[in-house]
Amino acid sequence: MAIANHSVNDLKLIIITGGVLSGIGKGVLGASIGALLKENFKIVPIKCDGYLNADPGTMNPIEHGEVFVLDDGGEVDMDFGHYERFMGVNAKKNWNLTMGKIYKTILDDERSGKYLGKTVQLIPHATDEIKKQLFKVLLQEKAEIGLIEVGGTVGDIENELFIEAIRQMRREIKDNRIMFVHLTYIPYIFGSNEYKSKPTQNSVKLLNQKGIYPDMLVCRSDSKLDKGFREKIALHCGLLEEKVVSIIDLDDINQLPYFLEEQGVSKIIKNKFNLSKITHLKKKKKSAHKKDSQLKIVIAGKYVGLEDSYASIREALKHAAHRLGVGLEINLINTSDIKMTDLKEFLKKTSGVIIPGGFGVRGIEGKIEVIHFIRENKIPFLGICLGMQLAVIEFARNVSGLTKANSTETKKKDLEYPVVDLLPEQKKVKDKGATMRLGGQDVLLQANTLIRKIYAKKVIRERFRHRYEVNNAFTKILEGNGLIFSGSTLDGEIKQVIELKDHPFFIGCQFHPELLSRIDQPVPLFLAFLEASLKSREN
């Protein structure tokens, strides 16, 4: 297989698998490895997910974590947020390969007659399709190193075909061009006051039974494992001790690439692939904290049962705080089941509030109450997607006299003031998957507004994921009462930014600025929000 003179023989592959338990950080590990290599090689990350959804777009964030939206409109696994932030790449939707996509392709091909005369089976047809799509992406992108993460845990029935496919890939790629990295968890038993290696040993043996032998074993634990413990693991898992890497829980995941560098991971990769050079990472100096500058930021949402539900917002806040040199405390508040009297007392002690995106009725009135309180009490506010829509509803109700204002998403029938309504192109849409207004869109910023001052540009490009918009039938009455529509589509039809003048910071945006944040390039809107929060707290 070759595309534009780029063939399989030009590729190097790093395959990342996980064992013992899920959610131990394969995506962050993969992104960190990518950060070690990005200065010298073109790295393309691919995430393989075993679920049968075509993509995570219809999944509840509490169940699976946030949906990360790409510029090309792809709704992909949240790990792509780590890849983009750590590696500085703009990922594409076909870089997220789900078993749902594989099965759909095979069934479509079967119906069209591609397999005439054959019995279609998981092996070789499903595994061949997996390899075909993996190689197609890597060759089209002219990747020098493909970084392939297999979701889930070794032994899960959902990822069996991905595991088998990558086993077969070793037959097609020379041994010095493919590297298997296995991430495991080392539990600490408090009763005996010792770490236990047996779960990791069993995980590696299970991987061996499937025909895969790790070139590097990464062990996550509460504290760094000593040389003797690593030698024990190496002995039982068939590795040299220097290829057993110990990583610990870090306060800031952005430090993981530097931690891996200190553990010699660059050297292990360099030796495996016989690379001539890898540029070593140098830690960037963190700005000194301003005196007594601990900011307390509240994210008031409803998917608070899983912190990963708002992963990109949390990271964007950390990036901005790092740039400003301020301390940061992030609190998640569930607007579905908290008493407003208690919440208002808590909000008085916060530096700023973010109302994030979301769907459905649950928690909506609580969010509107929060917006009402912070608008009147001059607490810095950033509303994102649904957060902007609810800010419009709150303003319509409590300032513009439209007391029964609401969104048609929340109240479907007999709504007197539908100040937020379904996008016209969405009214004929029946399917739920991949049908929203998605991906990168241009935003026109009005002159003499705060948002224009923040970005210092007339047009910016941001990422969107929504079905509802501000109803233009009500914009004049809202503007007449002081609401500023400071950003829109280029034709002015879809209102995409709102703000207030007589407030320390009150901005709502229909787009998701958090998706573009990088550790070395914080989002201007988050920087401005934290600066206003800091100033407001000091005052």
Side-chain angles (χ1 to χ4, degrees):
M1 181 184 292
I3 296 178
N5 300 320
H6 195 67
S7 72
V8 170
N9 293 328
D10 298 309
L11 285 173
K12 295 180 178 67
L13 298 180
I14 298 176
I15 315 288
I16 299 174
T17 55
V20 180
L21 49 82
S22 62
I24 54 175
K26 294 185 299 297
V28 179
L29 174 64
S32 299
I33 290 175
L36 298 180
L37 303 170
K38 67 177 183 179
E39 296 299 324
N40 303 107
F41 304 96
K42 182 173 182 181
I43 316 294
V44 174
I46 300 178
K47 173 75 184 294
C48 299
D49 284 305
Y51 48 75
L52 296 184
N53 306 64
D55 57 48
T58 57
M59 295 183 189
N60 190 319
I62 296 178
E63 179 177 322
H64 191 71
E66 73 172 8
V67 176
F68 195 82
V69 182
L70 304 176
D71 188 80
D72 66 3
E75 296 173 284
V76 295
D77 188 87
M78 62 172 290
D79 281 340
F80 279 91
H82 301 313
Y83 294 134
E84 288 205 349
R85 288 188 289 266
F86 281 52
M87 299 168 59
V89 298
N90 282 328
K92 299 178 182 179
K93 57 186 173 184
N94 61 346
W95 298 6
N96 193 188
L97 186 59
T98 71
M99 197 53 66
K101 289 181 181 178
I102 296 296
Y103 284 162
K104 186 178 189 305
T105 299
I106 291 173
L107 291 173
D108 288 346
D109 286 347
E110 190 275 333
R111 291 291 85 184
S112 68
K114 180 177 178 179
Y115 303 111
L116 283 180
K118 296 180 180 179
T119 301
V120 183
Q121 297 175 298
L122 296 179
I123 301 173
H125 300 104
T127 50
D128 282 352
E129 186 62 36
I130 290 170
K131 291 185 291 181
K132 176 185 174 181
Q133 294 199 30
L134 289 174
F135 284 132
K136 182 179 180 180
V137 168
L138 295 172
L139 295 178
Q140 283 181 337
E141 299 295 335
K142 296 184 178 181
E144 294 177 279
I145 297 179
L147 192 63
I148 301 174
E149 176 196 345
V150 180
T153 306
V154 171
D156 291 346
I157 193 171
E158 292 86 357
N159 65 17
E160 287 287 336
L161 291 175
F162 286 123
I163 296 292
E164 171 59 20
I166 63 173
R167 182 197 68 80
Q168 295 177 19
M169 289 168 72
R170 177 156 250 171
R171 297 173 62 244
E172 301 168 32
I173 295 181
K174 293 180 180 179
D175 187 63
N176 66 346
R177 286 183 169 270
I178 187 167
M179 178 178 183
F180 289 100
V181 178
H182 192 55
L183 174 64
T184 73
Y185 181 71
I186 306 292
Y188 184 81
I189 306 301
F190 287 95
S192 57
N193 296 320
E194 61 179 340
Y195 285 106
K196 291 294 185 180
S197 65
K198 187 63 71 176
T200 290
Q201 294 176 39
N202 290 338
S203 176
V204 173
K205 287 178 181 177
L206 182 58
L207 197 61
N208 294 162
Q209 290 169 9
K210 298 179 184 301
I212 296 174
Y213 295 83
D215 298 287
M216 181 169 72
L217 188 60
V218 181
C219 302
R220 178 175 172 177
S221 54
D222 296 332
S223 60
K224 195 172 179 180
L225 304 174
D226 61 34
K227 182 179 176 64
F229 193 88
R230 296 199 309 275
E231 286 178 340
K232 176 183 178 182
I233 293 176
L235 174 64
H236 288 282
C237 296
L239 287 166
L240 297 176
E241 179 270 327
E242 57 264 29
K243 294 184 179 180
V244 178
V245 178
S246 171
I247 62 173
I248 62 174
D249 297 338
L250 300 171
D251 293 333
D252 182 2
I253 62 171
N254 295 294
Q255 297 305 309
L256 184 57
Y258 304 100
F259 190 84
L260 293 180
E261 184 75 85
E262 293 170 358
Q263 308 311 306
V265 170
S266 290
K267 183 179 179 181
I268 296 172
I269 296 172
K270 180 181 177 181
N271 292 339
K272 172 64 182 181
F273 291 143
N274 194 27
L275 302 175
S276 59
K277 181 182 179 181
I278 292 181
T279 302
H280 294 291
L281 289 179
K282 294 182 180 179
K283 275 194 175 182
K284 297 178 181 179
K285 291 184 178 180
K286 187 175 181 180
S287 303
H289 281 348
K290 295 178 181 178
K291 186 178 180 181
D292 191 28
S293 57
Q294 182 79 5
L295 287 176
K296 294 183 178 181
I297 302 299
V298 167
I299 301 174
K302 62 179 180 179
Y303 305 127
V304 299
L306 182 68
E307 288 195 0
D308 283 347
S309 301
Y310 302 115
S312 290
I313 291 178
R314 296 171 67 91
E315 290 306 307
L317 285 169
K318 291 177 184 178
H319 298 165
H322 186 277
R323 172 64 61 86
L324 296 174
V326 297
L328 182 66
E329 177 186 319
I330 302 174
N331 294 296
L332 298 178
I333 299 297
N334 191 336
T335 58
S336 302
D337 55 12
I338 192 169
K339 293 181 180 179
M340 289 310 302
T341 52
D342 295 336
L343 179 58
K344 289 174 181 178
E345 285 301 314
F346 181 80
L347 291 176
K348 289 177 183 179
K349 302 173 185 178
T350 65
S351 310
V353 178
I354 293 177
I355 303 288
F359 298 92
V361 177
R362 184 172 61 86
I364 292 298
E365 290 301 322
K367 291 180 182 180
I368 292 173
E369 283 290 325
V370 169
I371 295 170
H372 186 190
F373 181 83
I374 60 183
R375 178 180 58 78
E376 289 191 335
N377 288 273
K378 308 296 184 182
I379 299 172
F381 164 77
L382 176 59
I384 297 173
C385 196
L386 177 64
M388 168 187 151
Q389 296 171 8
L390 298 181
V392 171
I393 293 171
E394 189 280 325
F395 190 88
R397 288 181 183 181
N398 299 311
V399 179
S400 302
L402 308 177
T403 55
K404 295 184 179 180
N406 215 322
S407 167
T408 53
E409 180 181 14
T410 302
K411 186 175 174 60
K412 302 292 184 184
K413 296 180 180 179
D414 303 322
L415 179 53
E416 188 174 357
Y417 302 120
V419 295
V420 175
D421 198 8
L422 195 65
L423 286 158
E425 65 266 27
Q426 291 287 317
K427 293 183 179 179
K428 295 182 180 180
V429 172
K430 293 183 179 179
D431 293 338
K432 295 298 183 183
T435 57
M436 287 185 277
R437 184 170 181 263
L438 292 165
Q441 309 283 346
D442 289 336
V443 182
L444 176 65
L445 305 182
Q446 300 300 317
N448 303 315
T449 60
L450 178 57
I451 193 73
R452 179 76 169 265
K453 180 181 179 181
I454 289 170
Y455 280 92
K457 292 180 181 179
K458 183 177 180 180
V459 177
I460 59 175
R461 186 172 179 84
E462 296 287 341
R463 298 182 188 179
F464 290 78
R465 185 176 186 250
H466 67 114
R467 296 186 193 277
Y468 292 81
E469 64 169 335
V470 176
N471 189 340
N472 285 330
F474 295 91
T475 54
K476 286 188 177 180
I477 187 172
L478 294 169
E479 287 176 322
N481 284 278
L483 189 64
I484 300 169
F485 292 99
S486 53
S488 67
T489 49
L490 298 182
D491 61 8
E493 284 301 305
I494 303 177
K495 301 299 185 283
Q496 299 184 148
V497 186
I498 64 165
E499 57 185 69
L500 293 177
K501 270 191 176 180
D502 299 324
H503 197 282
F505 189 96
F506 194 102
I507 287 182
C509 56
Q510 188 60 67
F511 51 84
H512 289 266
E514 70 274 14
L515 300 180
L516 295 181
S517 185
R518 308 285 188 267
I519 183 63
D520 57 349
Q521 193 176 356
V523 171
L525 190 51
F526 276 82
L527 278 171
F529 169 66
L530 287 193
E531 286 175 334
S533 299
L534 181 62
K535 184 177 180 181
S536 178
R537 190 191 66 81
E538 290 174 346
N539 289 338

